[in-house]
Amino acid sequence: MNLKTQYDCLNIDWNRVSEILKEVSMASFEGDVHKRCFENSHTVIFVFDNEKLIGFGRAISDGTYQAAIYDVAVLPEYQGKKIGSLIIEHILNSLPQCNFILYASPGKEPFYEKLDFRKMKTGMALFRYPEMMQKKGFTE
């Protein structure tokens, strides 16, 4: 592997971002929607193997004390190779004074627990499609 990281949104293939999110069973919209979301984020990271996009993530934040992590995805064939950890570490280091929240895809909680995230007892969500999110295992 020849890993490269990128910390801005220049020259990203947003349709590929959408495809990767679909491949890992995460929420996926058209490429232009993801472009808008990443461009409006406080922190972004894209990871490439040579020129191939293999993972990414982003955080929204007030830049002072609160942040939320979204869209952390790594292609399945690259999972288990510390790329997800690299993505999370960059996000955490870019906002060292902040508390972080996120919601993990069901079954991915152990990955975040290894990085010192803990389950919240009071987390609440209001989803646009509550039945779908319950079926996917996000809510009770």
Side-chain angles (χ1 to χ4, degrees):
M1 278 191 306
N2 182 26
L3 295 182
K4 292 187 326 183
T5 51
Q6 179 175 320
Y7 307 110
D8 59 42
C9 295
L10 298 175
N11 302 313
I12 296 297
D13 180 347
W14 298 105
N15 291 324
R16 185 66 187 130
V17 168
S18 182
E19 291 167 4
I20 291 171
L21 287 166
K22 283 180 192 167
E23 191 168 338
V24 299
S25 300
M26 290 176 59
S28 180
F29 300 93
E30 295 298 317
D32 63 324
V33 173
H34 291 296
K35 179 180 190 287
R36 215 169 31 252
C37 292
F38 274 79
E39 287 178 342
N40 286 323
S41 296
H42 182 283
T43 300
V44 300
I45 179 172
F46 299 91
V47 182
F48 297 84
D49 183 4
N50 291 310
E51 302 303 314
K52 178 182 180 182
L53 180 62
I54 62 168
F56 44 80
R58 66 187 183 96
I60 58 175
S61 178
D62 56 28
T64 304
Y65 66 91
Q66 299 294 350
I69 298 173
Y70 290 98
D71 298 328
V72 175
V74 176
L75 283 172
E77 63 267 29
Y78 287 90
Q79 291 178 10
K81 299 179 187 218
K82 304 288 184 192
I83 294 162
S85 298
L86 171 83
I87 292 168
I88 295 295
E89 288 171 13
H90 168 71
I91 292 170
L92 298 178
N93 290 338
S94 71
L95 292 156
Q97 70 284 5
C98 285
N99 297 309
F100 288 88
I101 60 169
L102 60 80
Y103 55 93
S105 294
K108 296 297 183 181
E109 299 91 343
F111 166 75
Y112 292 103
E113 288 171 348
K114 286 184 209 170
L115 298 170
D116 293 329
F117 284 81
R118 299 292 174 253
K119 291 182 181 178
M120 293 177 61
K121 293 183 179 184
T122 60
M124 303 294 288
L126 177 63
F127 291 109
R128 287 182 58 198
Y129 303 102
E131 295 84 12
M132 179 182 69
M133 297 308 281
Q134 183 180 25
K135 184 177 177 183
K136 288 183 169 188
F138 284 95
T139 59
E140 298 175 349

